[in-house]
Amino acid sequence: MIATTKMDYGIERLKGKWNRLRKVHRMFSELLGHTGVTWDPNTNKVNAAEEVWQHFYTVNKSDYKIFKREGCKHYHILGEIFSGTTATGGLGNASTQLPATSDEERQLEDDFLNQGVHVHVENIDDDADEVPKRSRREDIGTSGERRRKEPKISKSDKLEACMAQWSSTVSLKNEETELRTLYLKEKLSKIQGQSCNQTEFEATSPDPYSNIVCLDILNKMEGVSNEVYMKALKAFKDPDFRVSFVRMPEARRGPILELL
């Protein structure tokens, strides 16, 4: 993962990410398992009555507000990672794996094994005639039961799949950042090019009453105070004043600038 993302997240951050994704999957599954709740995987929109949302807000308002607004991205992938266990303890710690290091991690694991469900929503063919919408709810943690014949997925395989998905997301973000930086550099280059062209045009302008001509005259005048100099620069923005300033007799220029 470090070679792919060029970043070293560390084992503790990966474990934290694992637990957060597992919690998101469990909470969204509980929402879909509630009576009257439907979810469109194509638009990622959850449809539920307001009283249902109010019920879940009492559990975790911030997370369920996100589900209401954005749904749950990659829910099917999370299902593949976190639902491939059996009631006999597919998520139990193997002898080669470290146990949970905090009460929160142990609680998350207990909740997932004893209460977690994953709701499979099948895409409906638009050309089919009135296919009823339904969800298939699979219990994960009831004691004494085994799920139907499905291949067991070890914790290490799930963690590897999660890391691959995370690495892909980070790579896409890095690529987007590089493209945005390149776009900004090109835009800045165009702006600088336009500024240089404008400066060159003014420098070679044949206009006898341009700012440059007036500045040359002003700089050759003696006894001009800083205050009068700054007033003259502002006055040069007026093209009519520039014409008058260039064409007036040299002896009148100083007194005229004093009157600004």
Side-chain angles (χ1 to χ4, degrees):
M1 191 197 73
I2 296 175
T4 301
T5 63
K6 310 300 182 184
M7 297 181 183
D8 185 1
Y9 290 93
I11 186 65
E12 293 302 324
R13 290 183 64 186
L14 286 176
K15 288 171 65 178
K17 183 71 172 181
W18 170 271
N19 286 328
R20 287 194 298 274
L21 290 175
R22 180 168 57 180
K23 178 182 177 182
V24 168
H25 172 257
R26 176 175 57 81
M27 292 176 61
F28 195 71
S29 296
E30 291 175 355
L31 174 64
L32 297 189
H34 194 280
T35 303
V37 177
T38 59
W39 174 57
D40 187 344
N42 296 320
T43 61
N44 202 19
K45 180 176 179 59
V46 179
N47 298 306
E50 185 60 31
E51 55 267 22
V52 174
W53 289 114
Q54 294 300 326
H55 165 72
F56 281 100
Y57 289 165
T58 61
V59 179
N60 189 320
K61 187 172 183 179
S62 59
D63 287 341
Y64 281 107
K65 273 187 172 291
I66 295 176
F67 292 155
K68 182 178 181 181
R69 184 174 62 254
E70 303 175 2
C72 180
K73 296 181 180 179
H74 312 302
Y75 178 64
H76 289 303
I77 296 177
L78 295 178
E80 294 176 4
I81 296 173
F82 296 117
S83 295
T85 61
T86 66
T88 57
L91 278 181
N93 288 321
S95 60
T96 58
Q97 293 173 321
L98 294 175
T101 57
S102 67
D103 292 338
E104 181 181 2
E105 291 178 1
R106 284 191 289 272
Q107 183 63 41
L108 283 173
E109 186 170 81
D110 290 340
D111 291 345
F112 179 70
L113 288 174
N114 296 327
Q115 301 175 9
V117 296
H118 180 79
V119 179
H120 295 270
V121 180
E122 298 180 356
N123 292 330
I124 299 176
D125 188 356
D126 294 337
D127 297 332
D129 295 332
E130 295 186 359
V131 180
K133 297 182 179 179
R134 63 177 183 175
S135 301
R136 181 166 59 88
R137 175 173 174 160
E138 296 177 358
D139 293 330
I140 294 177
T142 57
S143 60
E145 286 184 10
R146 289 179 178 271
R147 293 184 50 183
R148 295 185 216 176
K149 294 181 180 179
E150 294 181 1
K152 293 182 179 180
I153 304 177
S154 67
K155 259 188 172 182
S156 59
D157 291 338
K158 292 180 182 180
L159 182 58
E160 184 178 352
C162 185
M163 289 172 59
Q165 178 64 31
W166 191 18
S167 299
S168 176
T169 302
V170 172
S171 298
L172 289 175
K173 288 184 178 180
N174 290 340
E175 182 179 355
E176 180 182 356
T177 301
E178 292 177 0
L179 291 175
R180 184 173 298 179
T181 301
L182 180 61
Y183 166 75
L184 292 176
K185 286 182 178 180
E186 292 180 352
K187 189 172 183 179
L188 178 61
S189 177
K190 290 182 180 179
I191 293 175
Q192 291 176 340
Q194 292 175 355
S195 177
C196 292
N197 292 336
Q198 183 177 0
T199 302
E200 292 176 359
F201 174 77
E202 291 180 353
T204 58
S205 173
D207 183 6
Y209 310 110
S210 65
N211 271 319
I212 296 177
V213 173
C214 292
L215 280 174
D216 288 341
I217 297 175
L218 180 63
N219 290 332
K220 293 176 182 179
M221 295 175 59
E222 297 180 357
V224 179
S225 65
N226 292 336
E227 182 180 359
V228 173
Y229 190 91
M230 294 304 298
K231 290 181 178 180
L233 292 181
K234 293 181 180 180
F236 289 162
K237 295 180 180 180
D238 183 355
D240 293 334
F241 180 82
R242 293 200 303 267
V243 173
S244 300
F245 182 76
V246 172
R247 296 184 66 86
M248 70 176 57
E250 182 178 352
R252 290 186 176 275
R253 289 173 182 157
I256 293 297
L257 292 180
E258 293 288 344
L259 296 175
L260 292 177

